[in-house]
Amino acid sequence: AGTEKPAHGPYTKLVRSADAFTGYCSPDGKTWTRIGEVAISMDEKVEMGMAVCSGDPATPAKATFSAFSRVEPTPAVRSKRR
């Protein structure tokens, strides 16, 4: 998808606007730094989840996810996408 800045901070956020996905990270969950953006064509409704990868097939990855949530857009935001 492209080369992006490394994420710093325990908080991450992914924001979707139509087919544009923008990633953010934060040290405190209040101040957000844009990591990067990618355009991916897909249906309006999609399933989502969390994943982790070490980047090395010989090295297992380990992560702990907490406070995971999905926020649906309000009707006003949804109508702007169409």
Side-chain angles (χ1 to χ4, degrees), residues 9-13 26 29 32 48-52 62-70:
Y11 299 92
T12 58
K13 174 169 65 171
S26 170
W32 295 95
M48 58 180 280
M50 302 298 292
V52 64
K62 180 179 179 181
T64 301
F65 299 105
S66 64
F68 178 82
S69 65
R70 174 179 170 165

Side-chain angles (χ1 to χ4, degrees), residues 19-43:
D19 287 340
F21 293 81
T22 306
Y24 299 88
C25 63
S26 170
D28 57 11
K30 297 175 186 175
T31 306
W32 295 95
T33 300
R34 182 181 177 275
I35 302 168
E37 183 175 308
V38 64
I40 304 171
S41 180
M42 61 177 59
D43 292 338

